[in-house]
């Protein structure tokens, strides 16, 4: 076939610019690499992308020998119970037990269900990361690192 495989259009750089994105990613990787106790926090009324991405990231972090917990205010909906590790997601945790908190797939601080606790964590420990595919976030007010 003459035109197979099809030529793909070049990938567009994210709005923040490739250098900025790569720098943010490098900072997040550095934090995960150098810290041992990590909390991945999902938003209220969780959907498939928040659970799947947080569980996949947790599995990757565990392979590095780190302690990682996925938590969220609301229970995992039944439709997502099939995801490997879904039964491990908790709503019971102490932020002081963690060196790093990563808010996954959530650009709204209040949507986490733990906004006051996160503000306090950011003030005392300062290691709050937002990993999100949404272009807007109010977490920038308290976080040190933002990757999308």
């Amino acid at each position: 076939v003459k035109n197979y495989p099809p030529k793909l259009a070049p990938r567009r750089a994210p709005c923040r610019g490739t250098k900025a994105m790569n720098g943010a990613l490098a900072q997040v990787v550095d934090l995960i690499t150098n810290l041992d106790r990590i909390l991945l926090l999902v938003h209220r009324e969780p959907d498939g992308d928040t659970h799947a991405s947080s569980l996949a990231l947790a599995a990757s972090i565990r392979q590095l020998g780190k302690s990682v917990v996925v938590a969220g205010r609301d229970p995992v909906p039944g439709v997502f119970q099939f995801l490997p590790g879904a039964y491990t997601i908790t709503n019971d945790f102490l932020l002081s037990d963690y060196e790093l908190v990563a808010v996954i797939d959530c650009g709204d601080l209040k949507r986490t269900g733990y906004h006051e606790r996160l503000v306090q964590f950011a003030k005392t420990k300062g290691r709050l990361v937002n990993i999100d595919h949404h272009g807007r976030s109010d977490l920038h007010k308290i976080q040190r690192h933002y990757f999308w």
Side-chain angles (χ1 to χ4, degrees), residues 39 93-99 101 114 117-118 121 125:
L39 176 68
F93 61 90
L94 293 172
L95 280 175
S96 61
D97 288 347
Y98 300 96
E99 299 170 288
V101 173
Y114 302 103
R117 292 170 65 185
L118 288 174
F121 180 86
K125 293 203 177 182

Side-chain angles (χ1 to χ4, degrees), residues 10-64:
R11 235 183 137 161
R12 292 181 53 197
C15 296
R16 290 187 56 198
T18 303
K19 281 188 178 183
M21 184 183 75
N22 288 341
L25 177 59
Q27 290 176 356
V28 171
V29 169
D30 188 54
L31 285 169
I32 291 171
T33 302
N34 292 305
L35 300 172
D36 292 317
R37 296 181 323 274
I38 301 163
L39 176 68
L40 305 181
L41 196 59
V42 301
H43 59 72
R44 296 183 90 162
E45 299 179 9
D47 50 19
D49 61 335
T50 193
H51 281 314
S53 58
S54 63
L55 290 168
L57 181 57
S60 298
I61 293 171
R62 277 189 201 96
Q63 288 183 346
L64 297 173

Side-chain angles (χ1 to χ4, degrees):
V1 178
K2 187 175 182 179
N3 291 326
Y4 190 83
K7 291 183 180 178
L8 301 175
R11 235 183 137 161
R12 292 181 53 197
C15 296
R16 290 187 56 198
T18 303
K19 281 188 178 183
M21 184 183 75
N22 288 341
L25 177 59
Q27 290 176 356
V28 171
V29 169
D30 188 54
L31 285 169
I32 291 171
T33 302
N34 292 305
L35 300 172
D36 292 317
R37 296 181 323 274
I38 301 163
L39 176 68
L40 305 181
L41 196 59
V42 301
H43 59 72
R44 296 183 90 162
E45 299 179 9
D47 50 19
D49 61 335
T50 193
H51 281 314
S53 58
S54 63
L55 290 168
L57 181 57
S60 298
I61 293 171
R62 277 189 201 96
Q63 288 183 346
L64 297 173
K66 310 296 179 173
S67 171
V68 61
V69 170
V70 179
R73 176 73 73 179
D74 295 334
V76 178
V79 69
F80 303 122
Q81 292 288 333
F82 75 94
L83 292 169
Y87 65 92
T88 66
I89 297 175
T90 185
N91 66 357
D92 185 23
F93 61 90
L94 293 172
L95 280 175
S96 61
D97 288 347
Y98 300 96
E99 299 170 288
L100 171 66
V101 173
V103 179
I104 309 297
D105 185 45
C106 182
D108 181 355
L109 183 59
K110 290 185 179 179
R111 191 170 181 210
T112 64
Y114 302 103
H115 59 281
E116 292 173 4
R117 292 170 65 185
L118 288 174
V119 169
Q120 187 60 34
F121 180 86
K123 286 180 182 177
T124 58
K125 293 203 177 182
R127 294 187 185 114
L128 179 67
V129 172
N130 186 210
I131 301 174
D132 192 9
H133 65 99
H134 301 100
R136 299 184 69 159
S137 172
D138 73 349
L139 284 156
H140 71 277
K141 298 172 186 173
I142 64 168
Q143 73 199 21
R144 298 275 169 97
H145 307 280
Y146 177 59
F147 180 71
W148 60 273

